[in-house]
Amino acid sequence: MSNTSRVWFITGASKGIGRILADALLADGHRVAATSRDRAALEKSSPEANGLLALETDLTNAASVKAAIDATVERFGAIDVVVNNAGYGQQGTVEALSDAEYRRNFEVNVFAPLQVLRHALPHMRRQRSGHIVNIASIVGIQGGYAGWSSYAATKFALAGLTESLAAEVAELGIKATVVYPGPVRTDFLSTGSLAVAEHSIDEYTEARASLDLHLNQLDGKQAGDPEKVARLIIDAVVAAEPPLHLFAGKIANQLAEAKMSGIRKDLDAWREASAATDFPEGL
């Protein structure tokens, strides 16, 4: 791929980082296939322009995803970059969340990106080029937040998927990057992007406090600038050596450092006991 015009396929492009990324790419002369559950919302947020293909897509439906990928290739002749951006937050404690709530969160945040990859990768494989960008969250590496187990689990899964994917597709000339944004000032904390568990348990006061913090104090005050996050993603994709792990924001950097420090502490404290679980050398 050259560093000039590329074909980007972006999910969840009617709002938030997805919309801002699509707008920035179009301004730079790239071509963009943008998906949303609601085509009207997509066209309202990013009016039809040269280089934009607006696609109403149900990411949980294989036929709908295939149709979107096929339409992109038919219109632009290729797919160079896939950005799996669509997703939502699920709040609730492990004890309180139902199987249905967990499964729905995984369906949208993990299995939907898998649907996209299954249909996009054959084109990239034939091209012997491409780049997959999976938008996770800093909770995909630092999950220690009461009441966010489902959301953290989906983002950990997406991060692990990306690492394995990168190893699989390297021989085909395809790159993969997982993005870990910190809190970004979008409408993510709105009711459309955040689901709250139907059932709650009063004894879990830390989880309730965390929900109150996100809804009543952080919304609209997040440190991350979505336009700068979008530009960071573009810069990473066009870089000569794109990163596998991309952290976005000072808070994300700090939390990642804290996680690595915690792992190092546990590793050092239990190193001898851990090593002792192996068979003696030579056996």
Side-chain angles (χ1 to χ4, degrees), residues 27 137 275:
S137 163

Side-chain angles (χ1 to χ4, degrees), residues 261-283:
S261 176
I263 291 176
R264 172 60 62 185
K265 180 180 178 181
D266 289 343
L267 182 63
D268 290 343
W270 288 85
R271 186 181 301 276
E272 291 186 11
S274 171
T277 64
D278 290 347
F279 286 109
E281 291 186 13
L283 294 182

